[in-house]
Amino acid sequence: MTTAATYRFFDHTGDYGVDVDAPDAGAAYDAVAQAFAALLTDAPGCVARAEARALEVTGVDAAATLVAFGNELLYLFEAEGFLGAGFAAEAMAPDRVAGSLWGEPFDPARHPIARPAKAVTHHAAAFDEDPRTGRVRARLIFDL
Amino acid sequence: MSRQDRKRRQQVDKKNARKREARAAGPTAAEPPYHGKQVPLERLDACRWRIPRTDGMHVDGVVWAREDLLPDLREDRCLEQVANVATLPGIVGHSMAMPDIHWGYGFPIGGVAAFDPDAGGVVSPGGVGYDINCGVRLLASDLQVGDVQGRVRQLTDALFEAIPSGIGAGRPELLLGDDDLDALMARGLDWAVERGLATPADVDHVEERGRIPGADPSHVSKRARSRGRGQVGTLGSGNHFAEVGVVDEVHDEAAAAAMGLRLGQVTLMIHSGSRGLGHQVCEDALTGMLQAAVDFGIPLVDRQLCCAPITSAPARAYLAGMAAAANFAFVNRQAMAHWARGAFKDLFKAKLTTVYDVCHNIAKFEEHEVEGKLRRLLVHRKGATRALPPGHPLVPRAYAQTGQPVIIPGDMGRYSFVLRGAPGSTASLGSACHGAGRLLSRHEAKRRYGDQDIVGKLADQGVIVRGASRATVVEEVPEAYKDVAQVVDVVDQGGLATKVVRIRPIACVKG
């Protein structure tokens, strides 16, 4: 039996880290998007999965691709005002991920921002997929 | 095709095939020198500790700290990071850490490292950080504390209105088109003078005169521009602030007078950087540098340390983009100082004069004497302030006899310090600390203080705080930081810089 994807924030002295445990790679990316919304707003439920944006990122390997994904979420938020809160993967490879980012346009009245992030770092970034079960453990650190 | 040409072609094909294979495999991961072990610290003197060179390290690590600060340093992984930086190619002298060191990403916060371009030295965007030219501007007012008594809340509100903070906040008059943004990034504070945001006197009192040489806006991506375009003159969040303070201790009368500072005087300190533009310049460069590390065969103990030889094309492109972002940051702090001047003038008919403006996230070419030889080095300061002694050619004329002002903010409840660069800073390549250094993680601060009325508590202590986000105020609670006095004492006793004045906060605007 597979369990649902979970994310958990962990201590990093100046910043915030997130650990993800997911039954597969697609669910891991979805959990990272949820964690992103939770980190920014402190109230994950406040961002509705109302609209989708096509999203594609690449990296030299799975960890770098995950970092690129996190930075894409930040870019869409800061430059285009779109707050992502979920991801439906359509194509997954270690060096490329494509799919639909679900969320909604940022509305300060409904999405109080607790802590904007500057970037997602490569430090300690990990995306480890169990070759037998497909289960994924991922780690990201946000620079605040 | 001759046999010789065929042979040459085969060699090129083989080399390209090896390159392709390496690219496919990604950056080579190397074992961090002290991974999983306690990092040894050998006492050098009362204020310095050596991390001995071991496998993979090219030089020793040196940490400035007093013994009583060591337990906090052992709480996180910052000492490992000092050792990690020592593995970078072409590092010169030591991998150094200032006394406010704490766990960063790649470099520790408080890290200083210099690289020789003529000895295979590298530039690492992680050694500058995402917030390129994050720094501090100190302004002195012509007000004494008595002049603002009873009106501090009004002043705080005026500053909160004048200085945009929070998501999407900006001043419409500085929503720049591409040509203006290019000019700003290329010319830094000279652009701000032309736009009426700065005076020539401001320029005379800013590190590098507010314009890092070599800036080339063509190396700043469209994405970086779209993030930064509307953010000129905005505070940002996290540990950024605009703080009104009062000089409450003078340690060096002559130096204080040279800086235009006196007991009881009201000051303004602005801490911010290059906002989304700089963050994106760093992110863009890291993607390229991961590839460069593969191409140049540089093994990485931490991916955030990805780098390229200073003389290589990716390094030159990064340095040109970094300088452009740094110039953006100078203008950003200047524009906030300009809005703040308006608030002080409207409320009190008062003037604000720039004392100095320092960068603490930057990589710059500087000449330093290492092992008896004067060398041109690329000095990375990640959470460290330049602290040049009197007489140094890079110190502005106004401070030639004094030494460069070193502005060290503390937390929003206690105090900050102004120091002056001292001759002993040759040991740290002209560097000192940049702040108090965090003691608690943001997560831990939220756990301990999340349900407390921090703003009310600080008001009771005489500090009026307005923040765009309650969460940021909680995570920046004074108890989350070390006592900056302890950190500054190490810098003072270690001979890097000497204390000039202490400043007590009375109002703070947070992003």
Side-chain angles (χ1 to χ4, degrees):
Chain A
M1 195 182 93
T2 56
T3 51
T6 56
Y7 65 83
R8 187 184 62 83
F9 292 110
F10 67 88
D11 283 350
H12 181 281
T13 311
D15 302 307
Y16 260 80
V18 61
D19 278 330
V20 165
D21 181 13
D24 57 51
Y29 272 87
D30 183 42
V32 168
Q34 290 176 45
F36 171 78
L39 175 77
L40 261 65
T41 63
D42 258 353
C46 73
V47 186
R49 294 187 181 211
E51 280 181 30
R53 292 277 185 105
L55 185 155
E56 180 176 348
V57 290
T58 57
V60 292
D61 59 17
T65 306
L66 182 68
V67 172
F69 177 79
N71 280 310
E72 190 67 17
L73 298 187
L74 273 175
Y75 176 77
L76 288 172
F77 173 60
E78 198 171 305
E80 298 186 14
F82 185 77
L83 197 44
F87 185 68
E90 285 146 25
M92 303 278 315
D95 61 351
R96 177 177 170 266
V97 166
S100 300
L101 178 69
W102 285 92
E104 61 176 325
F106 170 57
D107 172 1
R110 290 189 304 109
H111 309 131
I113 296 301
R115 62 187 72 74
K118 289 176 190 157
V120 175
T121 78
H122 291 267
H123 172 59
F127 191 92
D128 299 323
E129 194 168 359
D130 186 319
R132 199 173 50 82
T133 63
R135 192 153 198 96
V136 169
R137 285 176 195 278
R139 166 167 279 202
L140 283 178
I141 293 177
F142 290 82
D143 178 26
L144 299 183
Chain B
M1 190 186 283
S2 70
R3 184 187 285 181
Q4 209 175 9
D5 282 345
R6 264 202 304 277
K7 208 173 165 190
R8 202 173 293 138
R9 166 73 70 82
Q10 279 169 353
Q11 279 171 343
V12 169
D13 286 349
K14 256 190 188 168
K15 203 174 159 191
N16 284 342
R18 274 201 301 272
K19 250 185 179 173
R20 273 196 303 276
E21 277 169 29
R23 276 173 186 243
T28 307
E31 183 78 3
Y34 284 105
H35 184 63
K37 298 176 207 158
Q38 168 141 309
V39 179
L41 285 172
E42 296 171 358
R43 183 192 284 275
L44 290 172
D45 54 39
C47 295
R48 284 188 308 163
W49 303 79
R50 185 172 85 101
I51 298 177
R53 180 175 159 176
T54 185
D55 298 343
M57 292 169 70
H58 300 299
V59 295
D60 287 341
V62 170
V63 179
W64 269 262
R66 251 181 5 206
E67 198 157 10
D68 55 337
L69 290 172
L70 296 185
D72 291 335
L73 305 192
R74 295 236 180 251
E75 286 289 307
D76 62 27
R77 293 169 56 191
C78 61
L79 297 175
E80 269 180 55
Q81 291 185 320
V82 178
N84 291 350
V85 171
T87 66
L88 291 174
I91 186 168
V92 168
H94 305 109
S95 167
M96 294 178 282
M98 299 298 108
D100 52 338
I101 177 180
H102 58 272
W103 187 15
Y105 38 87
F107 271 60
I109 311 298
V112 178
F115 300 85
D116 186 343
D118 299 326
V122 294
V123 59
S124 175
V128 173
Y130 288 96
D131 200 359
I132 294 166
N133 187 8
C134 187
V136 189
R137 165 79 63 108
L138 177 67
L139 298 116
S141 80
D142 51 1
L143 298 169
Q144 288 295 108
V145 62
D147 299 328
V148 298
Q149 222 148 30
R151 296 180 74 190
V152 176
R153 192 171 293 277
Q154 204 182 353
L155 175 61
T156 314
D157 290 343
L159 289 172
F160 189 78
E161 293 305 320
I163 298 175
S165 59
I167 292 294
R171 300 277 295 222
E173 63 269 44
L174 278 183
L175 184 60
L176 302 178
D178 268 332
D179 288 349
D180 263 336
L181 196 54
D182 276 358
L184 179 159
M185 289 190 282
R187 303 213 304 277
L189 279 197
D190 292 337
W191 178 90
V193 172
E194 287 161 24
R195 292 290 292 245
L197 295 166
T199 66
D202 287 322
V203 178
D204 289 342
H205 294 82
V206 175
E207 188 166 329
E208 300 289 344
R209 299 180 61 79
R211 181 177 182 170
I212 304 271
D216 182 350
S218 73
H219 290 289
V220 176
S221 69
K222 212 171 152 185
R223 289 193 145 215
R225 289 158 188 269
S226 62
R227 284 180 77 173
R229 192 180 303 283
Q231 295 182 331
V232 183
T234 65
L235 193 57
S237 60
N239 58 4
H240 293 169
F241 60 79
E243 189 172 278
V244 181
V246 174
V247 177
D248 74 340
E249 282 180 8
V250 175
H251 295 264
D252 181 334
E253 289 280 357
M259 294 181 194
L261 297 170
R262 60 181 183 273
L263 198 66
Q265 183 181 26
V266 175
T267 62
L268 178 71
M269 199 179 272
I270 298 171
H271 177 215
S272 188
S274 50
R275 311 286 285 108
L277 184 137
H279 310 163
Q280 190 67 41
V281 166
C282 180
E283 173 52 28
D284 292 341
L286 286 169
T287 308
M289 291 284 180
L290 276 176
Q291 194 55 63
V294 175
D295 294 344
F296 291 100
I298 301 170
L300 299 174
V301 297
D302 180 334
R303 283 187 170 201
Q304 196 74 21
L305 294 176
C306 60
C307 54
I310 293 164
T311 50
S312 69
R316 288 199 305 269
Y318 168 67
L319 287 169
M322 182 212 72
N327 291 345
F328 181 96
F330 282 129
V331 175
N332 185 39
R333 289 193 290 277
Q334 178 66 49
M336 284 186 276
H338 178 73
W339 317 136
R341 279 176 171 153
F344 271 74
K345 188 178 171 197
D346 290 349
L347 278 178
F348 302 106
K349 295 190 177 7
K351 277 188 193 158
L352 287 171
T353 306
T354 300
V355 175
Y356 202 57
D357 183 303
V358 293
C359 321
H360 54 227
N361 281 359
I362 199 82
K364 286 198 297 194
F365 287 104
E366 293 171 0
E367 283 191 340
H368 289 281
E369 197 177 301
V370 179
E371 288 150 9
K373 221 173 116 187
L374 194 64
R375 294 164 79 169
R376 182 174 173 266
L377 304 170
L378 184 63
V379 182
H380 294 55
R381 296 190 180 94
K382 172 73 192 87
T385 309
R386 200 173 72 172
L388 299 173
H392 192 285
L394 292 177
V395 175
R397 196 183 307 159
Y399 300 126
Q401 308 298 316
T402 312
Q404 183 212 297
V406 180
I407 307 162
I408 309 297
D411 57 72
M412 58 182 166
R414 284 175 277 193
Y415 28 67
S416 299
F417 285 87
V418 181
L419 296 88
R420 61 189 184 105
S425 71
T426 49
S428 60
L429 304 180
S431 311
C433 63
H434 85 308
R438 282 195 80 93
L439 194 57
L440 301 180
S441 72
R442 293 182 178 278
H443 212 203
E444 185 59 27
K446 185 178 150 191
R447 263 195 299 266
R448 289 194 198 178
Y449 301 100
D451 58 354
Q452 294 188 18
D453 175 16
I454 303 301
V455 171
K457 208 171 137 187
L458 284 165
D460 292 344
Q461 291 169 21
V463 187
I464 307 298
V465 176
R466 272 200 74 177
S469 147
R470 184 183 179 277
T472 299
V473 173
V474 168
E475 290 168 13
E476 291 289 312
V477 66
E479 291 82 353
Y481 286 89
K482 294 173 200 167
D483 181 348
V484 72
Q486 285 183 314
V487 171
V488 160
D489 278 348
V490 177
V491 168
D492 189 298
Q493 288 160 18
L496 307 182
T498 55
K499 283 189 264 190
V500 178
V501 300
R502 192 178 84 164
I503 298 172
R504 174 176 55 82
I506 56 171
C508 187
V509 170
K510 294 289 297 178

